[in-house]
Amino acid sequence: MHQTTAMLIELGAIILVLGLLGRLAGRVGFSPIPLYLLAGLAFGQGGILPLQASEEFVATGAEIGVILLLLLLGLEYSASELVTSLKTQYPSGAVDFVLNATPGAVMALLLGWGPVAAVALAGVTWISSSGVIAKVLGDLRRLGNRETPVVLGVLVLEDLSMAVYLPILTALLAGVSLAGGTVTLLIALGTVGAVLYLALRHGRLISRAVSSDSAEMLLLVVFGLTLVVAGIAQHLEVSAAVGAFLVGIALSGEVAEGAGVLLTPLRDLFAAVFFVFFGLHTDPADIPPVLLPALALAAVTALTKIATGYWAARRAGISAKGRWRAGGTLVARGEFSIVIAGLAVSTEPRIGPLATAYVLILVVLGPITARWTEPAARRLTNRLHPAPRPTPPTPPTTEPTEAVGMGH
């Protein structure tokens, strides 16, 4: 009884603090995500007020937060739009992988951590945070912008790539044979392919089966279906977030719109819990020793993500302003990076603090670059190439008139 009371008080305090921080961020016109992370640091081990009773509940809430973030992102697009995105955006996905996975791999090798750790740190620096970016796009009201489908196309390719990358990394970390790793990879690819096929061929039937005139029934069925599919996907070594995203893709029309409206408040609550949980598992004392390499890696990969977004948007014919906005939006890293680091710490324990510091830097920097990259680029361009000043009009020349009848 005492522990239940303590958990209720802690949870109430956390949610109240999050609400106050959200209001503060709203008043200054800024994303609340960095404030949620700082709250997590304050409530975590080594923080000001470490939690005791509610950590397990917060961990479960954080998983639900990631699932809901990706579900709501998937509801924005249909299966046919996803396939079109894959067909048109795959060169951008290749550029994204080369530019952003390479710095992580190189850093791990320079630190002497070996090839398996290099594969893990490459994943940490490669994958942007779909959850953070989805929240930032909503906060900045950019979901309808022309560059947003390009951003989402890159994120979709990254999220689907996790269905291939995570089984490979897990096999490498476990020292599994080539045959065992191949079976795991085939199961993952088969799962993703099956869900995509069902979404494309039978999406209307799925939506019709889920549809309900009762808002309560629609909420329960969609939420329950999403958790089941996410759990099965995770059991099959496919990311739970990818499973939730694919559920969102499978639903369309009025069902998708209704579910989006009902689930948005729930998403906002659990997404805030996710960012707090992220901070909870970071001991502030572990950050200073790895701060310099994390800062160097963050600086390099922030620039490479901006370059990725700029290139992808330019390829799609977006204007210069939209290109810079796309690049700045992709900078944040988050949930996948932490998942990858968590898998790798058993092989290379030093990757944990470095990845945590790196993600903390970029998850704070990401909303800033999303907002300010385009204005900063515009000002820099104007300073380097100032517009020519208009030439003042030439005053008319008056010719001296000859006097008539004034001869000597």
Side-chain angles (χ1 to χ4, degrees):
M1 186 71 180
H2 174 72
Q3 187 168 353
T4 304
T5 303
M7 184 180 75
L8 289 174
I9 293 171
E10 285 186 358
L11 286 174
I14 291 171
I15 293 170
L16 177 61
V17 168
L18 293 179
L20 294 174
L21 290 174
R23 288 183 66 180
L24 174 64
R27 288 194 174 181
V28 298
F30 194 71
S31 171
I33 292 169
L35 298 181
Y36 293 160
L37 285 166
L38 293 175
L41 285 173
F43 290 133
Q45 297 300 319
I48 301 169
L49 294 169
L51 299 179
Q52 300 296 330
S54 59
E55 188 171 349
E56 186 174 344
F57 180 90
V58 172
T60 304
E63 289 188 32
I64 293 173
V66 175
I67 287 168
L68 285 173
L69 280 165
L70 272 293
L71 169 65
L72 268 291
L73 193 64
L75 289 172
E76 294 287 331
Y77 289 89
S78 67
S80 59
E81 287 171 331
L82 173 62
V83 172
T84 301
S85 177
L86 291 174
K87 288 178 179 177
T88 58
Q89 294 286 343
Y90 72 89
S92 302
V95 169
D96 180 33
F97 172 74
V98 172
L99 287 182
N100 297 288
T102 303
V106 170
M107 176 65 78
L109 294 175
L110 289 175
L111 293 171
W113 291 355
V116 175
V119 173
L121 197 56
V124 170
T125 59
W126 169 26
I127 303 298
S128 295
S129 170
S130 298
V132 174
I133 291 169
K135 186 75 168 61
V136 168
L137 286 171
D139 291 340
L140 297 178
R141 298 180 180 178
R142 290 185 183 170
L143 289 173
N145 283 21
R146 280 199 65 207
E147 74 275 2
T148 297
V150 175
V151 172
L152 295 179
V154 173
L155 294 176
V156 166
L157 288 172
E158 289 181 349
D159 292 343
L160 291 177
S161 297
M162 287 295 94
V164 179
Y165 170 82
L166 287 176
I168 292 174
L169 177 63
T170 304
L172 287 174
L173 292 170
V176 176
S177 65
L178 181 62
T182 302
V183 170
T184 303
L185 179 59
L186 289 174
I187 291 173
L189 290 175
T191 303
V192 174
V195 174
L196 278 175
Y197 174 81
L198 288 172
L200 276 170
R201 297 293 182 184
H202 307 291
R204 289 183 180 178
L205 293 176
I206 296 171
S207 296
R208 195 178 304 163
V210 170
S211 179
S212 173
D213 293 332
S214 166
E216 179 185 355
M217 293 301 105
L218 180 62
L219 173 64
L220 291 174
V221 170
V222 173
F223 189 34
L225 176 65
T226 302
L227 292 178
V228 168
V229 172
I232 293 172
Q234 190 157 306
H235 181 72
L236 295 172
E237 303 295 337
V238 181
S239 165
V242 172
F245 179 80
L246 293 173
V247 171
I249 291 294
L251 302 177
S252 59
E254 293 181 3
V255 172
E257 292 178 13
V261 171
L262 293 170
L263 288 166
T264 294
L266 205 60
R267 175 203 64 184
D268 292 341
L269 170 62
F270 282 104
V273 172
F274 162 70
F275 297 120
V276 169
F277 177 76
F278 184 80
L280 284 177
H281 285 260
T282 304
D283 188 341
D286 291 338
I287 294 177
V290 296
L291 199 53
L292 282 179
L295 280 169
L297 203 54
V300 171
T301 54
L303 293 175
T304 55
K305 273 293 180 186
I306 290 172
T308 299
Y310 187 95
W311 188 88
R314 182 175 132 186
R315 184 173 170 273
I318 308 297
S319 67
K321 289 182 180 181
R323 296 172 200 170
W324 288 116
R325 284 195 297 265
T329 302
L330 285 170
V331 166
R333 310 307 200 272
E335 58 276 8
F336 273 132
S337 299
I338 293 303
V339 169
I340 293 165
L343 291 172
V345 288
S346 58
T347 301
E348 178 49 72
R350 291 172 292 181
I351 202 172
L354 175 62
T356 301
Y358 167 80
V359 172
L360 271 173
I361 293 166
L362 287 184
V363 84
V364 172
L365 184 63
I368 298 172
T369 58
R371 191 181 187 96
W372 298 109
T373 296
E374 184 269 320
R378 186 176 67 246
R379 288 175 186 172
L380 182 62
T381 302
N382 291 340
R383 187 168 293 181
L384 293 176
H385 304 286
R389 294 181 179 179
T391 307
T394 307
T397 55
T398 55
E399 303 244 349
T401 56
E402 294 184 9
V404 180
M406 292 291 289
H408 295 283

